Amino acid sequence: MSFQVFGIPVSRGVAIGRAVLVASSRVDVAHYFIADGAVDAEIQRVLNARDEVALEFETLKQDLPADAPHELAALLDVHLMLLHDEALIGSTKQWIIDRRYNAEWAFSAQLEVLARQFDEMEDDYLRERKADLEQVVERVLSSLAREQGRVPTDAASVVQRDFAGEDPLLLVAADIAPADMMQFKRSVFHGFITDIGGKTSHTAIVARSMDIPAIVGTREASRLIRQDDWVIIDGDAGAVIVNPSPIMLEEYRFRQRQSELERARLARLRHTPAVTLDGERVELHANIELPVDAVAAVEAGATGVGLFRSEFLFMNRGGELPGEEEQFLAYRAAVEAMRGMPVTIRTVDVGADKPLDRMSASELRHEHVLNPAMGLRAIRWSLAEPSMFRQQLRAIYRASAFGKVRLLIPMVAHLSEIRQILESVKKVQQQLTDAGRAFTKVELGVMIEIPAAAVMLPLLLQHVDFVSIGTNDLIQYTLAIDRADEAVAHLYDPWHPAVLHLLAQSIAQSRAAGKSVSVCGEMAGDPAFTDILLAMGLRSFSMHPSQIPSVKQRILRADAARLARLMPDLLVSEDPQRDAELAFSLQKGVTKS
Ligand SMILES: C=C(OP(=O)(O)O)C(=O)O
């Protein structure tokens, strides 16, 4: 039966393919009762799975490189201990004996009992062991699934599957963590559908960077769509059409061909400089997540990297963070790929919807933070982990010997933070000089993404070389809307007059101070905002490489001076979106119906 599900369109275009469902709980658990005579065999399955996982942990421990942090070996020991603990294994067997549960069901039932006990513990350290226990049980469940010839449907297993030769595939999930999205980055999927998320949630951002259609916030897609269903993603309308009729399929195949032609047409603008009709030159920079993305940036005609989200280097690592050398090589790779064009590296912006496996030396975990968007994240986290911060600064400074590097700090709210950053920079420069390491001048910039930073910008500008406005977070914090929460997604409004005021004011003040200012949030890559940002005086935009051609086309057709004259009226408008659309189309001689 054909039906439709609606959500928030976050990456445009049409995708047609078969659904691959990724389980939100990492392993699907089969629940069934076993026959009386099968108890011993079922207990043997428990022991075999336990032994297989123990062997995996032992091998991992033996293979640890000599310079691996000692916490890693200690963590594996904790996992091994849990795996042999009678509270887990003995009681799991008891569920089988008493209730005749199958092994998987018995394990998950016992996990629930133990997890509740962990939750009630007073001691933070012991409470945090719950996550270790969950990881151990997940491994055991995966082993049981494999033993039955089933492939676990967690993100990592899905990536490993070889889908070559199958129909185009669309990924459907309740949610996809940014770290899992990174695994999908070079995968076979032609589109993404999730139940939760908003326009600027990181899942959405990564989907856009992959330039494939995606719809988030559908609330129920993963429950309604079945494995292998034929699905159309209409990434313009936010519609997911499940089991479409042949006529519907034909219509969408036609639209797909049209949008491919449009992309090919826009790609021809690659070498055309972004200059407005009245001769204003605009920099179009790229946002990247990994060094290899710099190649796509150059191909799309970017004139620099405006935002290297370095936190993605820190994900999918099972708790181990990259050291100075590894980071240096990654930054150097991006710098070399950009061939002399500037590369703006943002220090780790972890926390909130980008949790690390290991959030701090004390293993502070995301789920225990009351309000992660306002918690120990971004520069707050870096300043709380000074040796890690200095390690990242050293890696960034060392990369500056290979091309133009700019240092960008996320989530600054206090002048004292800038003072601490400058002190760390000084220390790092001294350390590098003492060690005979080469580096060159690195400009220092801050992200304007907290209203406090926008309000006190003139003060901040006295201490930094440039600013970059992170509209995704600026909107979130100005309007008090969680950017990843689909329940309030309708209130996440880039056209809100307060947002426009903060933007216009920040751009004007930075220009007046003679400092360069850029926007690197999603507004910069959406052609619907190109005119108003030009009208505010913005001359540097940073976005995913795939968005550069359509923003460039908009710039080539704009008259910056005429747009600027419309700005004062828009700032006092009650409905800036409607008035901007009307004013901009009129000034281009387009009549609106
Ligand atoms: C670019 C931004 O940062 P993030 O990586 O949090 O989207 C932003 O907030 O606009």
Side-chain angles (χ1 to χ4, degrees):
M1 192 190 65
S2 176
F3 63 94
Q4 297 197 11
V5 184
F6 293 91
I8 304 163
V10 293
S11 184
R12 305 187 57 173
V14 170
I16 303 171
R18 285 196 184 274
V20 173
L21 283 152
V22 172
S24 55
S25 78
R26 300 197 153 244
V27 181
D28 269 337
V29 176
H31 295 77
Y32 55 86
F33 294 106
I34 54 161
D36 289 348
V39 169
D40 288 346
E42 205 61 14
I43 289 178
Q44 198 52 49
R45 288 186 67 222
V46 166
L47 299 177
N48 292 349
R50 192 261 323 260
D51 291 347
E52 185 185 300
V53 176
L55 189 65
E56 266 177 44
F57 288 150
E58 295 284 5
T59 316
L60 276 174
K61 217 177 117 187
Q62 272 163 21
D63 292 348
L64 280 180
D67 58 349
H70 72 277
E71 291 99 323
L72 269 184
L75 191 68
L76 286 168
D77 282 337
V78 170
H79 284 190
L80 276 164
M81 197 186 73
L82 288 168
L83 203 47
H84 288 96
D85 196 322
E86 270 305 289
L88 179 65
I89 299 299
S91 306
T92 298
K93 287 193 222 160
Q94 216 51 50
W95 285 106
I96 299 175
I97 297 165
D98 296 346
R99 306 267 182 99
R100 300 287 191 266
Y101 283 2
N102 65 316
E104 292 86 341
W105 192 358
F107 259 117
S108 6
Q110 186 54 20
L111 173 62
E112 260 173 46
V113 171
L114 294 176
R116 232 173 296 131
Q117 289 174 7
F118 273 108
D119 281 341
E120 283 159 12
M121 284 174 183
E122 297 273 309
D123 183 314
D124 280 353
Y125 175 82
L126 288 177
R127 249 199 341 254
E128 284 162 13
R129 298 282 67 78
K130 179 179 142 189
D132 294 320
L133 178 71
E134 284 167 346
Q135 284 169 18
V136 166
V137 173
E138 264 173 25
R139 288 250 183 187
V140 175
L141 292 175
S142 288
S143 159
L144 286 166
R146 277 194 300 275
E147 178 239 345
Q148 296 216 319
R150 290 161 54 229
V151 180
T153 56
D154 60 295
S157 314
V158 167
V159 169
Q160 279 159 18
R161 258 191 73 188
D162 180 10
F163 287 108
E166 293 186 18
D167 291 317
L169 299 171
L170 312 181
L171 195 115
V172 184
D175 189 20
I176 312 172
D180 287 340
M181 273 307 273
M182 293 310 286
Q183 304 219 43
F184 293 137
K185 230 176 150 153
R186 279 164 239 309
S187 73
V188 291
F189 296 108
H190 291 226
F192 291 97
I193 303 163
T194 64
D195 295 350
I196 62 177
K199 246 191 169 24
T200 56
S201 59
H202 285 89
T203 306
I205 290 175
V206 178
R208 269 195 294 279
S209 79
M210 295 162 74
D211 199 15
I212 58 176
I215 296 181
V216 301
T218 60
R219 287 166 185 252
E220 51 185 1
S222 76
R223 193 175 56 77
L224 299 176
I225 299 173
R226 279 176 319 217
Q227 196 76 26
D228 263 3
D229 274 349
W230 272 101
V231 172
I232 297 173
I233 297 181
D234 182 340
D236 299 320
V240 178
I241 302 140
V242 187
N243 298 322
S245 65
I247 294 179
M248 193 74 112
L249 257 182
E250 222 16 71
E251 156 76 15
Y252 273 98
R253 288 205 198 284
F254 174 74
R255 284 208 221 168
Q256 215 176 13
R257 282 192 296 275
Q258 292 296 103
S259 77
E260 274 157 21
L261 288 175
E262 171 71 1
R263 271 168 208 242
R265 195 179 64 74
L266 286 177
R268 288 201 287 273
L269 293 176
R270 181 182 157 200
H271 296 296
T272 310
V275 180
T276 62
L277 291 173
D278 54 335
E280 288 283 324
R281 165 107 199 186
V282 180
E283 295 301 330
L284 294 184
H285 289 174
N287 293 351
I288 65 172
E289 274 96 42
L290 292 173
V292 292
D293 300 337
V295 176
V298 174
E299 270 169 17
T303 50
V305 168
L307 173 65
F308 182 163
R309 290 184 164 102
S310 70
E311 56 273 15
F312 284 91
L313 295 175
F314 288 62
M315 294 177 173
N316 290 324
R317 310 179 56 96
E320 179 211 358
L321 303 183
E324 176 183 327
E325 197 59 25
E326 187 181 337
Q327 288 189 58
F328 158 67
L329 292 175
Y331 304 144
R332 189 181 79 180
V335 168
E336 288 181 338
M338 292 310 291
R339 302 175 200 149
M341 293 183 275
V343 176
T344 311
I345 304 172
R346 181 174 72 182
T347 55
V348 277
D349 185 7
V350 291
D353 64 338
K354 287 181 284 186
L356 287 186
D357 314 330
R358 187 164 73 96
M359 280 295 294
S360 76
S362 55
E363 291 191 344
L364 175 68
R365 282 180 190 281
H366 177 50
E367 57 263 40
H368 294 134
V369 178
L370 282 180
N371 190 342
M374 296 194 182
L376 188 69
R377 52 170 300 204
I379 187 58
R380 300 168 184 181
W381 184 71
S382 295
L383 292 177
E385 298 279 342
S387 66
M388 252 184 259
F389 184 45
R390 284 200 296 274
Q391 192 177 54
Q392 177 163 40
L393 290 180
R394 277 196 299 275
I396 293 173
Y397 265 81
R398 284 174 59 194
S400 74
F402 297 84
K404 188 171 163 52
V405 169
R406 306 198 313 164
L407 171 66
L408 180 60
I409 310 289
M411 266 199 94
V412 166
H414 301 267
L415 199 54
S416 63
E417 288 162 342
I418 298 190
R419 294 214 170 93
Q420 290 177 70
I421 294 159
L422 288 170
E423 261 172 42
S424 298
V425 163
K426 218 159 121 192
K427 253 190 213 149
V428 160
Q429 286 174 328
Q430 192 56 51
Q431 285 171 348
L432 292 176
T433 309
D434 293 347
R437 295 269 193 206
F439 64 92
T440 58
K441 178 168 168 45
V442 172
E443 289 183 354
L444 172 69
V446 287
M447 298 270 298
I448 301 301
E449 47 190 348
I450 298 182
V455 170
M456 60 184 245
L457 186 57
L459 204 57
L460 300 184
L461 284 166
Q462 293 172 23
H463 302 272
V464 299
D465 302 305
F466 70 97
V467 297
S468 187
I469 307 175
T471 46
N472 306 338
D473 275 335
L474 186 63
I475 297 167
Q476 156 165 273
Y477 295 124
T478 304
L479 304 181
I481 298 296
D482 186 332
R483 58 193 265 195
D485 184 350
E486 77 286 352
V488 284
H490 60 292
L491 297 173
Y492 185 94
D493 179 14
W495 286 103
H496 192 291
V499 173
L500 297 184
H501 269 277
L502 287 178
L503 264 169
Q505 175 190 310
S506 303
I507 294 167
Q509 288 175 347
S510 305
R511 288 183 56 139
K515 302 281 165 90
S516 89
V517 51
S518 151
V519 169
C520 62
E522 295 302 297
M523 278 176 87
D526 184 344
F529 295 101
T530 308
D531 283 349
I532 194 154
L533 291 173
L534 286 173
M536 290 176 184
L538 190 75
R539 297 294 178 264
S540 174
F541 295 58
S542 192
M543 66 204 75
H544 281 294
S546 63
Q547 295 161 323
I548 290 178
S550 39
V551 170
K552 189 185 278 183
Q553 185 183 45
R554 205 67 190 219
I555 288 167
L556 294 172
R557 293 175 182 171
D559 181 330
R562 289 179 71 178
L563 287 172
R565 285 197 287 277
L566 302 169
M567 206 52 227
D569 287 344
L570 294 178
L571 283 180
V572 292
S573 160
E574 277 179 19
D575 187 350
Q577 179 170 15
R578 190 204 55 207
D579 291 347
E581 277 169 12
L582 191 64
F584 295 154
S585 55
L586 282 179
Q587 74 105 33
K588 283 189 180 127
V590 181
T591 349
K592 284 214 78 158
S593 55

